[in-house]
């Protein structure tokens, strides 16, 4: 038996024999499908193998998914990496030397000026001007 909405009451009513169904599709029972099992990172799923994770000195690592080796790292970049990876209790944003200290202080000064400007704007809008 087919059902449809009544135009008068807006409720679901049985369709009459003279009316055709809106969707003449036979219902199909849902098929049960087992969910896929969880596959943890195993050797056949991983693109990183133990040998390529830490290559031996002299061997070059390959870009993942290709047979192209990574380009060599320049000596200046290698020195910078050593400088920034030292454990010398200096924040990373100051490890670049005195120029980093100047840039940091300049940025902090700009933030304070901006906060003062915001406070001034809020005060101007909050307090009515005397006439």
């Amino acid at each position: 038996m087919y059902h449809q909405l009544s135009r008068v009451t807006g409720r679901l009513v049985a369709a009459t024999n003279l009316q055709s169904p809106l969707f003449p599709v036979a219902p199909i029972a849902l098929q049960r499908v087992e969910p896929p099992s969880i596959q943890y990172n195993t050797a056949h799923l991983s693109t990183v193998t133990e040998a390529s994770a830490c290559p031996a000195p002299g061997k070059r690592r390959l870009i993942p998914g290709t047979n192209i080796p990574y380009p060599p790292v320049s000596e200046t970049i290698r020195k910078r990496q050593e400088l920034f990876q030292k454990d010398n209790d200096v924040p990373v944003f100051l490890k670049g030397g005195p120029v980093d200290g100047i840039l940091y202080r300049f940025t902090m000064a700009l933030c304070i000026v901006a906060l003062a400007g915001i406070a001034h704007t809020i005060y101007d809008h909050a307090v009515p001007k005397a006439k």
Side-chain angles (χ1 to χ4, degrees):
M1 175 173 238
Y2 297 105
H3 293 84
Q4 68 183 26
L5 288 176
S6 170
R7 292 183 181 171
V8 177
T9 62
R11 294 184 179 196
L12 198 61
V13 294
T16 61
N17 292 339
L18 300 175
Q19 296 169 329
S20 62
L22 298 176
F23 299 103
V25 178
I28 300 172
L30 293 176
Q31 298 175 354
R32 287 219 171 246
V33 177
E34 294 297 320
S37 61
I38 298 174
Q39 296 181 353
Y40 297 99
N41 194 11
T42 58
H44 71 278
L45 294 176
S46 177
T47 57
V48 178
T49 60
E50 291 299 321
S52 68
C54 283
K59 293 207 173 195
R60 297 178 66 183
R61 291 180 53 191
L62 300 178
I63 296 174
T66 66
N67 285 333
I68 303 169
Y70 282 109
V73 178
S74 69
E75 192 60 34
T76 57
I77 293 177
R78 190 171 302 278
K79 286 180 184 177
R80 283 284 189 163
Q81 286 176 341
E82 289 174 6
L83 173 72
F84 280 92
Q85 290 174 357
K86 281 184 192 173
D87 188 17
N88 55 2
D89 294 332
V90 176
V92 72
F93 54 88
L94 295 176
K95 283 191 176 187
V99 174
D100 279 355
I102 292 169
L103 289 174
Y104 171 72
R105 287 174 183 83
F106 180 70
T107 303
M108 289 296 111
L110 283 178
C111 290
I112 291 169
V113 168
L115 285 174
I118 291 170
H120 178 68
T121 303
I122 291 173
Y123 178 78
D124 282 348
H125 289 285
V127 177
K129 295 181 181 179
K131 291 184 178 182

